[in-house]
Amino acid sequence: MSTFSSIHSPSYSHSFICSSSINEKKNQRFVFSSFPRFSVPANAKVFLQCQANSHQNAVLMQDGAVATKVSPVEKETPIEKLKSELLSVTSSNEWDEKASFDINENESTVSITVVGASGDLAKKKIFPALFALYYEGCLPKHFTVYGYARSKMTDAELRNMVSKTLTCRIDKRENCGEKMEEFLKRCFYHSGQYDSEENFAQLDKKLKEHEGGKVSNRLFYLSIPPNIFIDAVKCASSSASSGNGWTRVIVEKPFGRDSDSSAALTKALKQYLTEDQIFRIDHYLGKELVENLSVLRFSNLIFEPLWSRQYIRNVQLIFSEDFGTEGRGGYFDHYGIIRDIMQNHLLQILALFAMETPVSLDAEDIRNEKVKVLRSMRPLRLEDVVIGQYKSHSKGGVTYPAYTDDKTVPKDSLTPTFAAAALFIDNARWDGVPFLMKAGKALHNKRAEIRVQFRHVPGNLYNRNFGTDLDQATNELVIRVQPDEAIYLKINNKVPGLGMRLDRSNLNLHYAARYSKEIPDAYERLLLDAIEGERRLFIRSDELDAAWSLFTPVLAELEEKKIMPEYYPYGSRGPVGAHYLAARYNVRWGDLGLDQST
């Protein structure tokens, strides 16, 4: 490959640092701040590597020609001769064309298109996350945000809609209004159908106007129903993908309803995109405490030796919401709590928790280990699953609706709004350790946490002080993902005094007390990773296949046999059956405690 290198000439002293690779069908045109315009032939492959120094910049083409600007001299120097050879490559007309690539430290631009910009996810999460990245200085200098949807809307109307959901960091309020105004100036809107190549071609034209001839990198966020993923991807790929940079597509869950539909979706996506272009987002993987999970384990000597069946009695992954399906009943009834929460959010956390030490922090090494965990898991049996559905309940003079009271939900719906399951990993590290999952809506509180209950101390000298309930003496590590993020370890200690009275206390890392900085939203981290091409928090296709293979058989059995869910009152702790399931494996749910840290 030919290179741009630097040679000495007394005419110029200005030089700069840049790097770029170009291999395009059309001629590339460059503008140097200290050089004449020139064109590179279509078949030329050029690598720019200009070092800042006192030497003079020159251009070495693939055929060996060098271009540089030198002061006039009486006799033709070897450098001038080489320059003449380079200039003969192109016609004089091409020198007059406008440069399409500005070689400087900001030679590229990023265009972010939110497909489905008028929806709730875009308004509540995606646009606010993009603004937060801009406010923190994490976005490139040259970027544009485009909203794309079927709704008729002007740029001004989009900006007004977006402005209502933007907020600044609690710890960084200065220049908030000014930053919002600057960000909104970068936001534009284009109305079009999701299956129209013509509409996407019009979008492409607008994007090019904003990109101004720079290397264009394009990110499409599909904030749309899964049944129109493929149409949108097809049109974006054929009519609005980048011609000289990267094109990436973020796909929101659900990724199908079972193994077959998921495989069909993946196959259809790969007709238009490579696997490296597809970013399957699970926003729970962007949560701060989930990110900290591997740091906690792999960078602290006290935890890694304990991370196995020898010391861990059970692991609990708990997700609960204190509200129902208000506004999402129609969507939710098609999927249910198992598909909506357990098969993706909780299973992804389980894989991160249980994986072996990866070779490195590279995305593929981490995802390889997660896939090994999923493939080692025992197929889920119907008897290891409990399902429930919330019913109407009155409390404090307020009547809360049942799931089937939602007008978008069939009155005879059997879709579970609660599920609990016991899963097992059949490998040397975790053989026999139950991994209990629990997820539900309309429960008594809102939380997402990982609870690690350790084994009892063999021959504990202080057993008589705890009485017959040894669970009271169990050490427990709790990683609270949300809300009020924290990590705490429950230990046993002596109460001060002359007697021997034991107490259970917490070694507590409370994030709000320890760190003054506001914790970024998960979408901020994931959007930034997608822009930077970092894939470790996104789901690979074989990982998705392994996850669905665990849950598809039991989901099919639940639907074929029309298993009745156990009803539980709105605002309660869920079905009683979940406690029987845990008791079968000699486990007590850790979230039943009433101490101050739970």
Side-chain angles (χ1 to χ4, degrees), residues 83-101:
K83 173 186 173 184
S84 299
E85 292 175 1
L86 173 65
L87 298 187
S88 66
V89 171
T90 59
S91 66
S92 59
N93 290 336
E94 287 179 295
W95 294 112
D96 296 328
E97 293 181 11
K98 290 184 178 179
S100 64
F101 188 26

Side-chain angles (χ1 to χ4, degrees), residues 293-295 297-298 304 307 348-358 360-361 365-374 425 427 429-430 435:
L293 182 58
S294 55
V295 177
R297 174 182 170 189
F298 295 125
E304 175 56 21
W307 223 260
Q348 284 294 316
I349 294 174
L350 186 156
L352 274 174
F353 177 94
M355 70 180 183
E356 296 296 319
T357 307
S360 73
L361 292 177
D365 289 333
I366 292 174
R367 297 196 292 188
N368 286 343
E369 296 303 328
K370 287 169 63 183
V371 170
K372 288 178 185 177
V373 171
L374 296 175
I425 304 172
N427 63 17
R429 182 181 291 271
W430 299 112
F435 284 77

Side-chain angles (χ1 to χ4, degrees), residues 434-453:
F435 284 77
L436 296 179
M437 285 185 182
K438 182 168 67 169
K441 291 183 174 294
L443 296 174
H444 68 296
N445 63 12
K446 179 180 180 179
R447 74 170 66 225
E449 60 187 16
I450 307 163
R451 288 181 171 264
V452 185
Q453 294 186 349

Side-chain angles (χ1 to χ4, degrees), residues 384-444:
D384 284 330
V385 177
V386 172
I387 60 172
Q389 187 183 104
Y390 65 86
K391 63 182 180 180
S392 179
H393 178 62
S394 296
K395 184 178 180 180
V398 179
T399 300
Y400 297 93
Y403 171 68
T404 51
D405 288 340
D406 189 321
K407 294 179 180 179
T408 61
V409 174
K411 291 297 182 183
D412 58 349
S413 174
L414 300 179
T415 299
T417 60
F418 176 97
L423 298 96
F424 293 87
I425 304 172
D426 291 333
N427 63 17
R429 182 181 291 271
W430 299 112
D431 185 36
V433 176
F435 284 77
L436 296 179
M437 285 185 182
K438 182 168 67 169
K441 291 183 174 294
L443 296 174
H444 68 296

